Amino acid sequence: MANENLNTTGTLTSSMQTFNDRVLLEAAKTRWVYAKYGQKKPIPRNSGKVISFRRYERFDPTPANLELSEGVTPDGQTLSQTTVTATVKQYGAYVTITDLLDLTALDDNTAAALELIGEQLGTCADWIARDAMVSGASVQWANGKTSTLTIAATDIMTLVEIRKAVRTLTKAKARKFTSQGADFICIISPDQKYDLFTDTFWQAIATHADPSRAYDGEIGRCFGVAFVESTEAYVESQSVANAVNANTSSATTFVLKNTPSAAGVAYLSTAGNKLKIGANVAGATEYTIASYVAATKTVTLSAAASLTANHIVYSEDAGAPNATTGVAPDVHHAVMFGADAYGIVDIDNSAAIKSYVNPPIDPLRQKWTVAGKVMAYGVKVLNNTWILDIQTSATA
């Protein structure tokens, strides 16, 4: 049986105080953003968990190929389809609450658990949509850069990048969100919003003439694009930016100089991940991680190496590493898309989060569970030429 992580009078000591002067802080709430704008495609009940989206490819409109010769019947054309499949999955979580906690705690822990689980699963669903959109989109790197690893700290979000993206989507004949008066939607991070807000042209024009038609969370419009901010925007941060603690001589192990972050520990603990080590970026050599011991900050490499104390140790999983320190800027992913660029799939309209307060589960009725579940849910990009992942850095 899975670990219940039982919530008792001992686990919530802050709510067991004997006086009544308290203020309940509202849990930070994530606004559902990415999951809102996709094409909704429910699968009928008892019809499996995979759905196919089919798209007819356009016929060639070249006049020379369509010109008719008098009295001659041309060859017919063949319909061509592209099929995209999506699979739904279930997601859920629960907590177990004791009767003594319910009797003695000042707070309504059942209600709090329901709210927190709802927030948790709502954020999970939004992350699923966000990740599917980013992974399936075409890419536009800021300032004409050619890869994520070349994004520098100065390659921030600007209206130039927005105009480029609008041009790309327009040339791809992406469908427009005409019902709300916008051509395209662009979801951006708070840091990208900060950079856009410093643009004097944005300050002059990026207002909505008809607020009643604005999207929820919309922060402005320009060039036919409605901008929506999300605190859950996808941001790539460098996992490791460290240094060698002491010289090694043909050894498979070495010790890091500084304690890594939690993300760094996770990266270092994954066998097969790569590290660059050297006096500077230009002279760095790539090594493969075999294992990592967090208690001693000891990295084991797959092959022996002779390393020098204070040489930089860094991972290449964000922007362009600084030539001297190896430290890389975060890369922020804005997604701009047209209508029907991606699909949201569920079974029989069951993607809404369902909550359950289950009856006591033991003979003495000492505990019960509070749970939430997304019955069936999936997200898939349907046309990657109608969705752009605009990768930028951001002003610190």
Side-chain angles (χ1 to χ4, degrees):
M1 181 177 176
N3 185 359
E4 289 182 320
N5 288 320
L6 199 64
N7 290 278
T8 67
T9 55
T11 59
L12 292 176
T13 54
S14 62
S15 66
M16 292 299 298
Q17 51 192 312
T18 56
F19 56 91
N20 207 33
D21 182 15
R22 71 192 189 280
V23 176
L24 295 181
L25 299 178
E26 183 178 6
K29 292 184 178 179
T30 300
R31 189 171 63 248
W32 192 308
V33 176
Y34 292 91
K36 289 176 61 173
Y37 305 109
Q39 180 188 126
K40 304 301 190 295
K41 282 287 185 181
I43 303 173
R45 184 182 291 268
N46 305 123
S47 298
K49 59 181 182 180
V50 179
I51 189 172
S52 295
F53 295 86
R54 286 178 293 277
R55 180 181 72 241
Y56 283 101
E57 301 304 326
R58 292 187 177 93
F59 288 132
D60 178 10
T62 304
N65 296 335
L66 298 175
E67 183 179 346
L68 298 176
S69 298
E70 184 178 353
V72 177
T73 302
D75 293 337
Q77 298 182 116
T78 302
L79 291 171
S80 176
Q81 283 185 335
T82 296
T83 300
V84 178
T85 61
T87 303
V88 296
K89 297 180 180 179
Q90 288 189 318
Y91 303 88
Y94 75 96
V95 298
T96 303
I97 296 174
T98 68
D99 60 342
L100 188 58
L101 174 64
D102 185 60
L103 286 168
T104 58
L106 299 177
D107 306 333
D108 184 345
N109 291 289
T110 298
L114 284 170
E115 181 177 359
L116 290 169
I117 290 173
E119 162 68 9
Q120 177 187 28
L121 292 178
T123 303
C124 172
D126 216 34
W127 284 7
I128 292 166
R130 176 201 67 187
D131 293 351
M133 293 167 72
V134 169
S135 64
S138 299
V139 181
Q140 175 181 307
W141 293 283
N143 256 348
K145 296 300 173 63
T146 57
S147 71
T148 305
L149 280 174
T150 60
I151 296 291
T154 53
D155 297 328
I156 62 174
M157 176 64 81
T158 65
L159 288 179
V160 172
E161 300 302 330
I162 298 304
R163 295 200 331 260
K164 286 180 182 177
V166 169
R167 177 179 63 186
T168 299
L169 292 180
T170 301
K171 291 171 71 173
K173 300 182 180 180
R175 289 185 187 147
K176 299 177 180 180
F177 289 91
T178 52
S179 63
Q180 289 291 108
D183 294 343
F184 308 121
I185 295 174
C186 186
I187 303 176
I188 62 175
S189 72
D191 298 280
Q192 289 173 318
K193 180 186 78 171
Y194 175 88
D195 287 325
L196 278 182
F197 276 16
T198 63
D199 190 298
T200 54
F201 189 61
W202 172 280
Q203 295 168 7
I205 71 166
T207 56
H208 201 299
D210 183 2
S212 67
R213 299 186 71 190
Y215 290 101
D216 181 32
E218 185 179 327
I219 59 173
R221 293 190 182 192
C222 63
F223 307 128
V225 179
F227 292 85
V228 178
E229 178 187 17
S230 174
T231 57
E232 306 307 306
Y234 185 58
V235 180
E236 288 183 273
S237 298
Q238 186 178 32
S239 298
V240 179
N242 216 301
V244 177
N245 186 59
N247 294 346
T248 69
S249 179
S250 191
T252 57
T253 63
F254 75 96
V255 176
L256 293 171
K257 186 173 184 178
N258 306 306
T259 301
S261 64
V265 171
Y267 185 91
L268 292 163
S269 301
T270 304
N273 278 348
K274 307 294 183 181
L275 288 176
K276 288 287 191 76
I277 306 175
N280 49 47
V281 168
T285 301
E286 185 175 84
Y287 298 90
T288 301
I289 299 170
S291 64
Y292 177 66
V293 179
T296 58
K297 297 182 292 188
T298 301
V299 180
T300 300
L301 303 173
S302 61
S306 295
L307 305 177
T308 303
N310 296 316
H311 274 195
I312 58 175
V313 179
Y314 63 95
S315 57
E316 291 187 319
D317 53 353
N322 178 277
T324 303
T325 65
V327 176
D330 290 349
V331 176
H332 296 249
H333 296 251
V335 284
M336 185 188 294
F337 51 93
D340 299 327
Y342 67 104
I344 306 290
V345 187
D346 64 6
I347 294 178
D348 199 26
N349 294 306
S350 62
I353 299 167
K354 293 177 171 55
S355 60
Y356 309 95
V357 178
N358 297 306
I361 56 178
D362 66 318
L364 294 176
R365 305 176 67 85
Q366 290 180 291
K367 55 188 178 181
W368 60 88
T369 59
V370 178
K373 183 166 63 174
V374 179
M375 295 296 294
Y377 182 71
V379 183
K380 190 78 171 184
V381 167
L382 305 179
N383 190 330
N384 73 336
T385 65
W386 291 2
I387 180 169
L388 276 177
D389 171 17
I390 308 171
Q391 299 186 16
T392 74
S393 184
T395 302

